[in-house]
Amino acid sequence: MLTIKPLFFIFALITLLLGGCFDEAYEEISQKRAKLVVNVKNPIIIGIAWDSHHTSFLKGVKLAVKLINADGGVLNRPLEIIVNKDEDKLLDLTLSTNEYQTIVLNIANSFADNHKVVAVIGHVTSKTALLASVIYENKGLLFFNTECD
């Protein structure tokens, strides 16, 4: 019988392989996001995927944004963050592999579906980041993994 780890990586591999089928949508979405970055009127919006148990990371991000904005922002535009703390749900050790994956994909899609978000920082674990990275890649989002496991 397969354990959770091999099942997780099999699912991730299949997701990565199928990801190559989204080339046209990727180009369209990437161009839309690029236009938002170039538009000097819009703030630069960054998604933060984190849980509420690692508060020092969120405090650090908020302080960095405050300092950067006080210094004129990035390219003379303010930074804004959108925080998704749904990774708290992943701390439930009774979750099935399917439930875990669904939560991760919902987190990633919450950022990917918001065309104003140009980058995502976060994900506490590497397996969460691996699953989410496929969504970010296909939706043209810059992704910085900051796992702490």
Side-chain angles (χ1 to χ4, degrees):
M1 183 174 161
L2 291 174
T3 62
I4 290 177
K5 271 192 174 182
L7 283 176
F8 175 81
F9 288 109
I10 290 170
F11 174 78
L13 180 61
I14 290 169
T15 305
L16 285 170
L17 292 173
L18 292 176
C21 300
F22 299 98
D23 289 341
E24 287 181 41
Y26 169 79
E27 289 300 321
E28 182 181 318
I29 292 168
S30 294
Q31 289 173 0
K32 209 180 240 187
R33 288 189 200 283
K35 286 179 185 176
L36 285 171
V37 172
V38 174
N39 185 345
V40 293
K41 295 182 223 169
N42 294 327
I44 297 172
I45 300 177
I46 300 171
I48 308 295
W50 210 251
D51 66 35
S52 61
H53 292 83
H54 298 91
T55 57
S56 59
F57 175 78
L58 288 174
K59 287 178 184 177
V61 168
K62 290 176 182 179
L63 177 61
V65 167
K66 183 178 179 181
L67 292 173
I68 290 168
N69 287 342
D71 199 32
V74 175
L75 302 172
N76 295 318
R77 294 168 48 206
L79 291 179
E80 288 184 15
I81 59 170
I82 297 174
V83 179
N84 185 324
K85 295 182 185 176
D86 281 351
E87 288 199 24
D88 284 349
K89 297 174 185 175
L90 301 175
L91 299 173
D92 181 356
L93 299 177
T94 64
L95 289 174
S96 69
T97 301
N98 188 41
E99 291 169 325
Y100 187 95
Q101 292 168 345
T102 300
I103 293 168
V104 173
L105 295 176
N106 286 339
I107 293 168
N109 281 317
S110 74
F111 295 122
D113 292 343
N114 183 343
H115 295 292
K116 294 179 181 179
V117 175
V118 297
V120 176
I121 300 172
H123 296 294
V124 177
T125 67
S126 56
K127 70 179 184 178
T128 306
L130 177 65
L131 264 176
S133 69
V134 176
I135 301 288
Y136 301 143
E137 175 69 23
N138 285 319
K139 296 293 185 162
L141 278 166
L142 181 61
F143 173 51
F144 296 98
N145 180 13
T146 56
E147 67 183 82
C148 67
D149 66 348

